[in-house]
Amino acid sequence: MKQEGRSVRLVDVARAAGVSPSTASKALNDAGSLRPATRERVRAAAERLGFVSDAGARALSMRRTFIVGLLSTDDVGRFSMPVMLGAENALTVGEISTLVATARHDSVREQHHLRTLVARRVDGIIVTGKTTDARAPIHVPVPVVYALAPSTDPDDISVVPDDAAGVRMVVDHLRALGHRRVAHIGGRPDQNSSRVRLAALREALTAAGMELVGEPLFGEWSEPWGRQAVGLLLRDRETPSFTALVCASDQLARAAVDRLRESGLRVPHDVAVTGYDNWEVMWAASRPPLTTVDMELERLGQRAAERLLGEIQPETGADTGPRGTEFVAPRLVARGSTIADD
């Protein structure tokens, strides 16, 4: 029987067929590897409920294009790409297509892309960037959600990684291993992630009864700086005054491990080392592999897409929440740089 009073949603079809929304989407679009019986059950449920899967027909009836813009300012993609992949995966389940544009930190290029997206009548836009530094809001006549790089407007919806929680996880991990004296190597001091991670480190160490040894060292987010910083920490010392080294990125941590080893120190036996980002290129190349924090960037992108869907059409049942900044929990990944194999 057709449902009266509102449009039939993909989730309604999935529920009626006893499958997930992603499976229902694959069945209706002849995608994926599904059993014929499953595909037929989904189609039968869609027909029974009166579900219209054709995007053009739905666009006409609901005054939507079922297209969302993904705008990135990142010219490299190391951080924004996982965010965009997570968002695209979530949007595809809802049968929404995406248009991707890269501004490359060029305000003129960004305005051009925004005009193009609005001209294409996108239902909404997800804006992401290279860092967690706040950015000026964009002004367009469609809903906008900011991912990774938050808006400076507190009334906008921004979804960002919870860096403070990640640092607390690192400190809890080191405390459980018996460490009490910790040194810190950070990246650029003018960036938000550096400030948040250091502040969280100081607070967590104090709460745990641990000590931050010396002054934190700041420089570029690079391996050369990581090596140089370890040299500064070890200067004029036969043995280090710390037993754990918390680095604000995996690049810094990988270089630190190399420099410690060259100085005759064993990781993690003499000094435990932690990174941040869970960048496989770095943690896997380190010897031993790095203990680090994964910011769950794909999950962050997925959450940004859920928030955008909730703004585009709240009556669809998409996940919603309060406006402002939403933090996505990270996870600690423990490896050999803090836990010895022997």
Side-chain angles (χ1 to χ4, degrees):
M1 172 181 284
K2 293 185 179 182
Q3 295 188 14
E4 301 294 339
R6 66 172 175 84
S7 299
V8 178
R9 305 166 299 172
L10 181 66
V11 292
D12 298 321
V13 176
R15 188 180 301 112
V19 299
S20 67
S22 61
T23 298
S25 177
K26 292 175 183 177
L28 294 172
N29 289 284
D30 290 320
S33 300
L34 302 178
R35 291 182 297 178
T38 300
R39 202 178 298 274
E40 182 58 34
R41 188 167 75 253
V42 172
R43 289 174 176 170
E47 183 176 355
R48 184 171 67 253
L49 296 175
F51 176 73
V52 181
S53 62
D54 177 71
R58 287 191 295 155
L60 288 173
S61 64
M62 302 175 68
R63 296 185 179 181
R64 288 178 54 192
T65 60
F66 289 85
I67 299 174
V68 163
L70 298 179
L71 176 64
S72 172
T73 61
D74 189 357
D75 56 354
V76 177
R78 161 67 189 95
F79 296 105
S80 64
M81 186 57 69
V83 173
M84 297 171 78
L85 288 175
E88 189 173 39
N89 288 340
L91 293 168
T92 300
V93 171
E95 297 186 311
I96 295 175
S97 299
T98 56
L99 292 177
V100 179
T102 305
R104 306 176 195 174
H105 292 285
D106 184 332
S107 60
V108 174
R109 186 186 296 268
E110 177 173 288
Q111 289 303 312
H112 166 71
H113 285 318
L114 289 174
R115 288 192 296 270
T116 301
L117 291 172
V118 171
R120 294 290 298 271
R121 298 178 58 240
V122 295
D123 294 330
I125 298 175
I126 294 175
V127 180
T128 186
K130 185 177 182 179
T131 71
T132 59
D133 292 340
R135 55 152 295 149
I138 64 174
H139 301 287
V140 289
V142 295
V144 177
V145 170
Y146 300 84
L148 186 64
S151 168
T152 54
D153 188 338
D155 291 329
D156 286 335
I157 297 175
S158 300
V159 184
V160 302
D162 194 340
D163 276 354
V167 172
R168 289 193 295 269
M169 291 176 183
V170 168
V171 172
D172 287 345
H173 176 67
L174 294 174
R175 180 185 55 79
L177 294 173
H179 296 282
R180 294 295 178 269
R181 296 172 60 80
V182 176
H184 179 62
I185 297 175
R188 290 175 50 184
D190 60 314
Q191 292 189 319
N192 179 67
S193 56
S194 293
R195 295 191 296 268
V196 170
R197 291 171 191 177
L198 175 59
L201 179 63
R202 290 186 186 278
E203 183 178 345
L205 290 175
T206 299
M210 299 165 66
E211 179 184 353
L212 180 61
V213 176
E215 288 298 318
L217 300 176
F218 289 99
E220 294 298 319
W221 298 101
S222 68
E223 291 189 71
W225 164 240
R227 295 176 60 85
Q228 180 184 351
V230 171
L232 294 173
L233 289 171
L234 298 178
R235 185 173 50 192
D236 301 327
R237 290 183 178 274
E238 293 184 4
T239 58
S241 57
F242 52 91
T243 63
L245 178 57
V246 174
C247 299
S249 79
D250 289 342
Q251 280 182 288
L252 298 173
R254 197 190 89 81
V257 170
D258 283 351
R259 185 68 176 82
L260 288 167
R261 184 173 58 248
E262 291 167 1
S263 300
L265 296 169
R266 301 173 301 162
V267 175
H269 305 78
D270 299 318
V271 178
V273 178
T274 66
Y276 209 102
D277 300 334
N278 200 29
W279 187 5
E280 185 173 4
V281 171
M282 290 295 152
W283 70 252
S286 176
R287 292 293 179 270
L290 293 174
T291 289
T292 184
V293 175
D294 191 317
M295 291 185 286
E296 298 283 12
L297 293 178
E298 284 201 30
R299 170 59 185 146
L300 189 151
Q302 177 185 339
R303 184 61 186 148
E306 292 170 353
R307 294 302 306 271
L308 184 63
L309 291 174
E311 290 295 302
I312 291 171
Q313 197 168 2
E315 65 270 20
T316 61
D319 198 1
T320 59
R323 302 189 70 81
T325 301
E326 177 177 333
F327 293 93
V328 173
R331 64 185 175 94
L332 179 78
V333 185
R335 299 190 180 96
S337 68
T338 57
I339 302 176
D341 293 333
D342 51 18

PDB file of all heavy atoms in Angstrom, residues 88-107:
ATOM      1  N   GLU A  88      30.841  11.779   0.494  1.00  0.00           N
ATOM      2  CA  GLU A  88      30.286  11.229  -0.743  1.00  0.00           C
ATOM      3  C   GLU A  88      29.637   9.874  -0.500  1.00  0.00           C
ATOM      4  O   GLU A  88      28.567   9.575  -1.051  1.00  0.00           O
ATOM      5  CB  GLU A  88      31.377  11.114  -1.807  1.00  0.00           C
ATOM      6  CG  GLU A  88      30.842  10.758  -3.184  1.00  0.00           C
ATOM      7  CD  GLU A  88      31.914  10.810  -4.243  1.00  0.00           C
ATOM      8  OE1 GLU A  88      33.052  10.385  -3.953  1.00  0.00           O
ATOM      9  OE2 GLU A  88      31.624  11.266  -5.357  1.00  0.00           O
ATOM     10  N   ASN A  89      30.264   9.034   0.325  1.00  0.00           N
ATOM     11  CA  ASN A  89      29.675   7.728   0.630  1.00  0.00           C
ATOM     12  C   ASN A  89      28.308   7.885   1.291  1.00  0.00           C
ATOM     13  O   ASN A  89      27.360   7.165   0.964  1.00  0.00           O
ATOM     14  CB  ASN A  89      30.607   6.937   1.550  1.00  0.00           C
ATOM     15  CG  ASN A  89      31.852   6.445   0.832  1.00  0.00           C
ATOM     16  OD1 ASN A  89      31.873   6.360  -0.395  1.00  0.00           O
ATOM     17  ND2 ASN A  89      32.892   6.130   1.577  1.00  0.00           N
ATOM     18  N   ALA A  90      28.216   8.813   2.237  1.00  0.00           N
ATOM     19  CA  ALA A  90      26.941   9.022   2.934  1.00  0.00           C
ATOM     20  C   ALA A  90      25.885   9.583   1.987  1.00  0.00           C
ATOM     21  O   ALA A  90      24.713   9.202   2.061  1.00  0.00           O
ATOM     22  CB  ALA A  90      27.141   9.963   4.117  1.00  0.00           C
ATOM     23  N   LEU A  91      26.284  10.472   1.103  1.00  0.00           N
ATOM     24  CA  LEU A  91      25.325  11.082   0.179  1.00  0.00           C
ATOM     25  C   LEU A  91      24.843  10.090  -0.867  1.00  0.00           C
ATOM     26  O   LEU A  91      23.674  10.104  -1.261  1.00  0.00           O
ATOM     27  CB  LEU A  91      25.967  12.293  -0.499  1.00  0.00           C
ATOM     28  CG  LEU A  91      26.274  13.475   0.433  1.00  0.00           C
ATOM     29  CD1 LEU A  91      27.170  14.486  -0.271  1.00  0.00           C
ATOM     30  CD2 LEU A  91      24.995  14.140   0.908  1.00  0.00           C
ATOM     31  N   THR A  92      25.718   9.205  -1.316  1.00  0.00           N
ATOM     32  CA  THR A  92      25.344   8.212  -2.320  1.00  0.00           C
ATOM     33  C   THR A  92      24.255   7.292  -1.811  1.00  0.00           C
ATOM     34  O   THR A  92      23.360   6.899  -2.554  1.00  0.00           O
ATOM     35  CB  THR A  92      26.575   7.395  -2.743  1.00  0.00           C
ATOM     36  OG1 THR A  92      27.567   8.277  -3.295  1.00  0.00           O
ATOM     37  CG2 THR A  92      26.207   6.364  -3.804  1.00  0.00           C
ATOM     38  N   VAL A  93      24.322   6.940  -0.532  1.00  0.00           N
ATOM     39  CA  VAL A  93      23.279   6.097   0.054  1.00  0.00           C
ATOM     40  C   VAL A  93      21.920   6.766  -0.085  1.00  0.00           C
ATOM     41  O   VAL A  93      20.899   6.109  -0.291  1.00  0.00           O
ATOM     42  CB  VAL A  93      23.590   5.806   1.541  1.00  0.00           C
ATOM     43  CG1 VAL A  93      22.410   5.130   2.218  1.00  0.00           C
ATOM     44  CG2 VAL A  93      24.829   4.927   1.657  1.00  0.00           C
ATOM     45  N   GLY A  94      21.892   8.084   0.006  1.00  0.00           N
ATOM     46  CA  GLY A  94      20.653   8.826  -0.151  1.00  0.00           C
ATOM     47  C   GLY A  94      20.354   9.182  -1.591  1.00  0.00           C
ATOM     48  O   GLY A  94      19.514  10.051  -1.854  1.00  0.00           O
ATOM     49  N   GLU A  95      21.059   8.541  -2.536  1.00  0.00           N
ATOM     50  CA  GLU A  95      20.871   8.758  -3.966  1.00  0.00           C
ATOM     51  C   GLU A  95      21.111  10.208  -4.365  1.00  0.00           C
ATOM     52  O   GLU A  95      20.391  10.792  -5.172  1.00  0.00           O
ATOM     53  CB  GLU A  95      19.470   8.313  -4.398  1.00  0.00           C
ATOM     54  CG  GLU A  95      19.231   6.830  -4.197  1.00  0.00           C
ATOM     55  CD  GLU A  95      17.895   6.380  -4.763  1.00  0.00           C
ATOM     56  OE1 GLU A  95      16.881   7.025  -4.463  1.00  0.00           O
ATOM     57  OE2 GLU A  95      17.882   5.395  -5.511  1.00  0.00           O
ATOM     58  N   ILE A  96      22.138  10.787  -3.765  1.00  0.00           N
ATOM     59  CA  ILE A  96      22.510  12.167  -4.061  1.00  0.00           C
ATOM     60  C   ILE A  96      23.873  12.179  -4.739  1.00  0.00           C
ATOM     61  O   ILE A  96      24.816  11.541  -4.269  1.00  0.00           O
ATOM     62  CB  ILE A  96      22.548  13.018  -2.778  1.00  0.00           C
ATOM     63  CG1 ILE A  96      21.142  13.124  -2.181  1.00  0.00           C
ATOM     64  CG2 ILE A  96      23.115  14.400  -3.050  1.00  0.00           C
ATOM     65  CD1 ILE A  96      21.099  13.835  -0.853  1.00  0.00           C
ATOM     66  N   SER A  97      23.965  12.888  -5.841  1.00  0.00           N
ATOM     67  CA  SER A  97      25.228  13.019  -6.559  1.00  0.00           C
ATOM     68  C   SER A  97      26.014  14.205  -6.008  1.00  0.00           C
ATOM     69  O   SER A  97      25.461  15.081  -5.334  1.00  0.00           O
ATOM     70  CB  SER A  97      24.974  13.220  -8.060  1.00  0.00           C
ATOM     71  OG  SER A  97      24.281  12.114  -8.607  1.00  0.00           O
ATOM     72  N   THR A  98      27.315  14.233  -6.300  1.00  0.00           N
ATOM     73  CA  THR A  98      28.172  15.310  -5.800  1.00  0.00           C
ATOM     74  C   THR A  98      28.929  15.983  -6.926  1.00  0.00           C
ATOM     75  O   THR A  98      29.300  15.358  -7.923  1.00  0.00           O
ATOM     76  CB  THR A  98      29.190  14.772  -4.770  1.00  0.00           C
ATOM     77  OG1 THR A  98      29.958  13.714  -5.367  1.00  0.00           O
ATOM     78  CG2 THR A  98      28.489  14.240  -3.539  1.00  0.00           C
ATOM     79  N   LEU A  99      29.140  17.271  -6.768  1.00  0.00           N
ATOM     80  CA  LEU A  99      30.015  18.042  -7.646  1.00  0.00           C
ATOM     81  C   LEU A  99      31.186  18.523  -6.800  1.00  0.00           C
ATOM     82  O   LEU A  99      30.995  19.197  -5.795  1.00  0.00           O
ATOM     83  CB  LEU A  99      29.272  19.242  -8.234  1.00  0.00           C
ATOM     84  CG  LEU A  99      28.148  18.939  -9.234  1.00  0.00           C
ATOM     85  CD1 LEU A  99      27.465  20.231  -9.652  1.00  0.00           C
ATOM     86  CD2 LEU A  99      28.686  18.210 -10.454  1.00  0.00           C
ATOM     87  N   VAL A 100      32.410  18.159  -7.196  1.00  0.00           N
ATOM     88  CA  VAL A 100      33.609  18.469  -6.413  1.00  0.00           C
ATOM     89  C   VAL A 100      34.349  19.638  -7.052  1.00  0.00           C
ATOM     90  O   VAL A 100      34.571  19.663  -8.270  1.00  0.00           O
ATOM     91  CB  VAL A 100      34.538  17.250  -6.319  1.00  0.00           C
ATOM     92  CG1 VAL A 100      35.797  17.592  -5.525  1.00  0.00           C
ATOM     93  CG2 VAL A 100      33.807  16.076  -5.672  1.00  0.00           C
ATOM     94  N   ALA A 101      34.737  20.607  -6.224  1.00  0.00           N
ATOM     95  CA  ALA A 101      35.494  21.764  -6.693  1.00  0.00           C
ATOM     96  C   ALA A 101      36.617  22.055  -5.702  1.00  0.00           C
ATOM     97  O   ALA A 101      36.434  21.941  -4.493  1.00  0.00           O
ATOM     98  CB  ALA A 101      34.589  22.985  -6.829  1.00  0.00           C
ATOM     99  N   THR A 102      37.785  22.447  -6.218  1.00  0.00           N
ATOM    100  CA  THR A 102      38.947  22.757  -5.386  1.00  0.00           C
ATOM    101  C   THR A 102      39.365  24.197  -5.597  1.00  0.00           C
ATOM    102  O   THR A 102      39.692  24.602  -6.713  1.00  0.00           O
ATOM    103  CB  THR A 102      40.131  21.819  -5.725  1.00  0.00           C
ATOM    104  OG1 THR A 102      39.710  20.467  -5.596  1.00  0.00           O
ATOM    105  CG2 THR A 102      41.289  22.069  -4.782  1.00  0.00           C
ATOM    106  N   ALA A 103      39.362  24.967  -4.510  1.00  0.00           N
ATOM    107  CA  ALA A 103      39.681  26.393  -4.612  1.00  0.00           C
ATOM    108  C   ALA A 103      41.171  26.677  -4.495  1.00  0.00           C
ATOM    109  O   ALA A 103      41.633  27.742  -4.904  1.00  0.00           O
ATOM    110  CB  ALA A 103      38.927  27.178  -3.545  1.00  0.00           C
ATOM    111  N   ARG A 104      41.937  25.748  -3.885  1.00  0.00           N
ATOM    112  CA  ARG A 104      43.400  25.885  -3.771  1.00  0.00           C
ATOM    113  C   ARG A 104      43.816  27.175  -3.065  1.00  0.00           C
ATOM    114  O   ARG A 104      44.769  27.846  -3.475  1.00  0.00           O
ATOM    115  CB  ARG A 104      44.049  25.820  -5.157  1.00  0.00           C
ATOM    116  CG  ARG A 104      43.678  24.588  -5.956  1.00  0.00           C
ATOM    117  CD  ARG A 104      44.259  24.620  -7.340  1.00  0.00           C
ATOM    118  NE  ARG A 104      43.631  23.644  -8.202  1.00  0.00           N
ATOM    119  CZ  ARG A 104      43.871  23.535  -9.512  1.00  0.00           C
ATOM    120  NH1 ARG A 104      44.733  24.362 -10.085  1.00  0.00           N
ATOM    121  NH2 ARG A 104      43.252  22.627 -10.238  1.00  0.00           N
ATOM    122  N   HIS A 105      43.103  27.534  -2.013  1.00  0.00           N
ATOM    123  CA  HIS A 105      43.422  28.726  -1.229  1.00  0.00           C
ATOM    124  C   HIS A 105      43.398  30.001  -2.063  1.00  0.00           C
ATOM    125  O   HIS A 105      44.103  30.966  -1.768  1.00  0.00           O
ATOM    126  CB  HIS A 105      44.790  28.577  -0.558  1.00  0.00           C
ATOM    127  CG  HIS A 105      44.809  27.541   0.517  1.00  0.00           C
ATOM    128  ND1 HIS A 105      44.241  27.745   1.761  1.00  0.00           N
ATOM    129  CD2 HIS A 105      45.306  26.279   0.542  1.00  0.00           C
ATOM    130  CE1 HIS A 105      44.405  26.661   2.495  1.00  0.00           C
ATOM    131  NE2 HIS A 105      45.036  25.759   1.786  1.00  0.00           N
ATOM    132  N   ASP A 106      42.581  30.018  -3.106  1.00  0.00           N
ATOM    133  CA  ASP A 106      42.455  31.183  -3.991  1.00  0.00           C
ATOM    134  C   ASP A 106      41.031  31.708  -3.865  1.00  0.00           C
ATOM    135  O   ASP A 106      40.075  31.033  -4.266  1.00  0.00           O
ATOM    136  CB  ASP A 106      42.753  30.764  -5.431  1.00  0.00           C
ATOM    137  CG  ASP A 106      42.728  31.933  -6.403  1.00  0.00           C
ATOM    138  OD1 ASP A 106      42.014  32.916  -6.138  1.00  0.00           O
ATOM    139  OD2 ASP A 106      43.408  31.842  -7.446  1.00  0.00           O
ATOM    140  N   SER A 107      40.872  32.911  -3.289  1.00  0.00           N
ATOM    141  CA  SER A 107      39.535  33.446  -3.045  1.00  0.00           C
ATOM    142  C   SER A 107      38.766  33.685  -4.340  1.00  0.00           C
ATOM    143  O   SER A 107      37.551  33.512  -4.394  1.00  0.00           O
ATOM    144  CB  SER A 107      39.633  34.744  -2.235  1.00  0.00           C
ATOM    145  OG  SER A 107      40.392  35.714  -2.941  1.00  0.00           O
TER     146      SER A 107
END
